[in-house]
Amino acid sequence: MKDQISKALQNFSIVLSIALAWLCVFNINMWLFTSLHYSERADWIFMPAALRILAVLIFGEIGAAGLAVGAYLTLSHAPTSPPAYEIGMAVTSGLAPLLGLQVCRWITPLNKDLAGLKPKDIIILSIVMAVANSLLVNACLALAGKFDGDIIQLITIFVGDVVGAAIVLVAISTAIDIFHKFRH
Amino acid sequence: MAGADQSPAHVRFLNVINALRQMSPLRGLTADESALLDELIVQWHCEREITVGSIMNGPKQESASTIHRRLVGLKEKGFVAFRASPSDKRVKYVVPTTIATSYAQELERRLLCFERGLGAS
């Protein structure tokens, strides 16, 4: 019983941490790239996409739950917006990277513990997750009657996710390298 | 920690960090790794096979572990590979990769161009 409570608390803290990290990076992205905002759900650079990759790779479904919560926190919550639509949009943010990871496992073999993970695997993952996210978000919009066939929006979400993830991941890798150089 | 595949999250985290580190644009050769690679190119030209042990225990003032670390750095950056001896798996040979071979060929080409340039003048 104690173990279960401890595990539940652990999972809750992971979900909360990822959600807060998402909120933080989302707001930084909005501040830095306001001019690259295409529509309510599409930006030409979307840095939080990197969090999708990291959260799902490291924490699996718990990570995806954190992403969904984080995405929900960033929605506009307009009075006219149906709750089902908002929940659907939040869920796609968690579901898309999980689907992307599954598809990636068909393309490039990934060990369960990610041993031997290479940069090219992360690049493939970011592209596949961007495709999955773009399709799922627009499918959700279509179901809510908010998709007007705007192909540019589809492309924007894809490009935004790929470029945003690249910026963040290269920044993280450079920071790690600099840290290691100073340590030695 | 929980995860889709039940392998420990800290192991997955370390493997992700390791992969991310390889994406760094600062991952060029260090001066020491570059010097070691140059030595290896000379030895590959003169000898058939070089063992990891012979490099680590060679006539240098630096410790064997320091030299081993540089060898591993060259391996991670794709310049060398380790090949086990067929007769004794404990013995590992240091072999050049296509990147190291291309590097040596490019060096030779540029030196030849330089010599021709000097000869012309």
Side-chain angles (χ1 to χ4, degrees), chain B residues 13-86:
Chain B
F13 172 75
L14 289 172
N15 283 321
V16 167
I17 292 295
N18 193 41
L20 283 177
R21 217 179 136 204
Q22 294 174 51
M23 291 172 78
S24 170
L26 302 180
R27 290 286 280 180
L29 291 180
T30 63
D32 293 323
E33 286 168 350
S34 188
L36 179 59
L37 179 62
D38 292 340
E39 283 179 34
L40 287 171
I41 289 171
V42 170
Q43 290 196 44
W44 285 322
H45 175 73
C46 297
E47 299 175 31
R48 275 200 176 173
E49 283 165 336
I50 312 166
T51 63
V52 172
S54 67
I55 298 171
M56 284 170 62
N57 300 317
K60 279 194 174 300
Q61 290 183 348
E62 290 146 327
S63 68
S65 62
T66 301
I67 297 173
H68 184 258
R69 193 168 58 242
R70 284 179 205 150
L71 260 180
V72 170
L74 285 175
K75 180 174 178 285
E76 283 178 355
K77 290 167 190 174
F79 285 87
V80 304
F82 297 157
R83 182 171 54 81
S85 164

Side-chain angles (χ1 to χ4, degrees), chain A residues 58 61 105 112-113 173-174, chain B residues 4-5 7 12 15 20 24-25:
Chain A
I58 298 169
E61 291 97 349
R105 288 209 153 109
K112 285 184 179 182
D113 60 359
S173 72
T174 306
Chain B
D5 301 310
S7 53
R12 294 198 299 276
N15 283 321
L20 283 177
S24 170

Side-chain angles (χ1 to χ4, degrees), chain A residues 18-36:
Chain A
I18 292 171
L20 289 175
W22 178 275
L23 194 58
C24 182
V25 179
F26 181 89
N27 283 307
I28 292 171
N29 192 83
M30 290 298 114
W31 175 62
L32 282 174
F33 303 116
T34 314
S35 57
L36 299 177

Side-chain angles (χ1 to χ4, degrees), chain B residues 103-114:
Chain B
Y103 169 73
Q105 286 169 352
E106 181 63 18
L107 200 56
E108 185 183 13
R109 189 185 70 80
R110 285 175 187 251
L111 280 170
L112 283 172
C113 285
F114 180 67

